[in-house]
Amino acid sequence: MKPVALITLFAATSVAAQMPTAASVLRQLEATHHFTEVALSPDGTRAAWVEELYASGLDTGTARIHLQGLGAPITAAPSGRAASEGGIAWSPDGTRIAFLSDAAHAGQMQLYVASTAGGPARQLTHLTGYLTDARWSPDGSTLAVLFAENAPSGGGPLHPEPPATGVIGAAIHNQRLAVVPAAGGPARQLTPASLNVYEYDWSPDGRRFAFTAAPGPGDNNWWIAQLYTASIDDGTPHLVFKVTDPQGQIAMPRWSPDGSTLAFIQGLMSDEGFTGGDLYTVPAAGGAELDRTPGAHVSVSSLKWITPQSLDLTEYSGGGSQLVNFDLATGGGKLLWATDQDIHNGGNFSNFSWSRDGSSAAYIQADWSRPPEIRAGLIGAFRAVTNANAAQRPLWGKAESLTWENGGLAVQGWLVYPRDYDAGKKYPLIVSVHGGPANINDPHWPAGSFEPTLLSALGYFVFFPNPRGSYGQGEAFTRANVKDFGYGDLQDILAGLDRALRAVPAIDPSRLGITGWSYGGYMTMWAITQTHRFRAAVAGAGLSDWLSYYGENSIDQWMTPYFGDTIYNDRAVYARSGPINFIKNVQAPTLLVVGERDGECPAPQSFEYWHALETLGVPTRLVVYPGEGHMFAQTAHIRDVLERTAAWFNQYLR
């Protein structure tokens, strides 16, 4: 339920001569080079990365793979032809790169291999369906992929749901492990058709896989996935670890170098691919699992084995990230590097990559003060690999971290100042609540389908809180909103707002707005039923009624860990957090936007809220975007949402 990273094209009416015009904002953002992926060679000497391609500022839906030190891009497309390419995987010896491309047929990815010395790529597969996550065997002889045969689309519930006609639920296209000879030959599907495989790892000897899987449909059942191993010979799953904690999902299984142990992340996670929790290990042959980081005040976001007794971990810490070497014997961690931005390897929007021995890494640098660039080198001594955005400058103001306490919890958030801030003036402020709720607001260069940072360019403060339920403060903090949606977390946000008002007298307390997408959209709908402090609201892909939502969405498995039971057994716990049950308290003018085919936060939830406000005479508007899912893909729609958001707040807060 998190808003997803895409190119943002923002246009809004300038309200003062000193502010940038819509055209100037567009010109600068359209000139930004956007990197979506980075992969470091096993020896740490070369980086490869993916850059999305744009024409006249518009996303062309294509991408190219670039390799450090290689002049021409690595591509499967004939000269002059556009293709979408990515999913980089280095061969163990560093001489080849495997990747996915739709060069042969638009919209149908296939697996290719290219030499890192340059030259044409070689197509390995001729499959029909959805392919993702290519990985080399340790000896470089075989590639594995996740493959959903005949699947019309892929990418999880963030993408548009298929039209709901015919026999509902009859077609399940499970994602299976498949193996392909690197020298060429037919692909062989390995795991059973009855299981949907989410993530996997090769064993060090190349004879087995570890993977997380659950019965289909895949979009809904990630929250009940278990940990398995299977032989490359027959693919028969052997259960290694069955999750018994109803508030703990598992992700990122990784095999130790000696093959004896599996490590994974377990925690309360509201979204597939947005990972955070504690580090766990379990014997690869099966046995008792161990929580290696109990009580830690961080959230592990990715992991890499370094030796049989140590791992490198990326962790959300406070409002940023850190890289730690963790010793299994002592249970202690050594800080290697810290940054304000999000860094993680794997899952959704991976932006970090290790060398084989962990001594070096590459990452996509991007925060509120620095535009996207590729950096690589020894850990903590990174150097610039690209210089594509040297001409870019922030259109928004400075950002600072704020901390406060509420209900015995330490809470953190970020405050972005208006561009050209003048302490002698008064400014409106917009609270932006992140999706999830198990997620985090951290510094980033605006590049999202819903990006409130850009309101700073139009003269607003923008406050990004990380209330209870967020990552960055440990599992107890992430679980602190269980059976309590809208109560403790809203009080954390309001306490943070008070902290910002005390810190910056230039914020006008009479001109406050609130916005968010997904869980942030829900919190927007909820907040204005609980307080009249906000004079305007924009709810993106929100949730108005947990009771009706339970039967409408395509991912209801995520709800039980948070609410403790299904709606059919405990309606009361859902009803107490439903905005629609308090709708008569709303006074704030509210704009609602949603995708027509959103399976995570279906459009009827926004219809229900809009209909109530219309009936009650509260100024409101609902915009439903055709063909869009939870993650907007069409540039015109992304632009329109941002234009409407700015216009709505300008109308009611100026």
Side-chain angles (χ1 to χ4, degrees), residues 1-8 155 157-159 271 274 348-349 447-451 517-518 600 630-632 638:
M1 290 168 40
K2 173 187 160 101
V4 176
L6 295 170
I7 176 67
T8 295
L158 297 171
H159 290 259
D271 297 81
F274 298 103
N348 290 333
F349 314 116
S449 58
F450 190 76
E451 186 42 81
W517 195 273
S518 195
E600 290 209 11
H630 198 59
M631 173 182 70
F632 279 23
I638 296 168

Side-chain angles (χ1 to χ4, degrees), residues 41-43 45 90-97 116 136-140 356:
S41 63
D43 64 3
T45 61
W90 285 85
S91 65
D93 62 5
T95 64
R96 294 164 291 170
I97 284 179
T116 56
W136 293 84
S137 62
D139 65 2
R356 181 187 291 112

Side-chain angles (χ1 to χ4, degrees), residues 63-80:
R64 282 288 183 270
I65 297 170
H66 299 271
L67 177 62
Q68 188 177 2
L70 191 66
I74 290 178
T75 177
S79 178

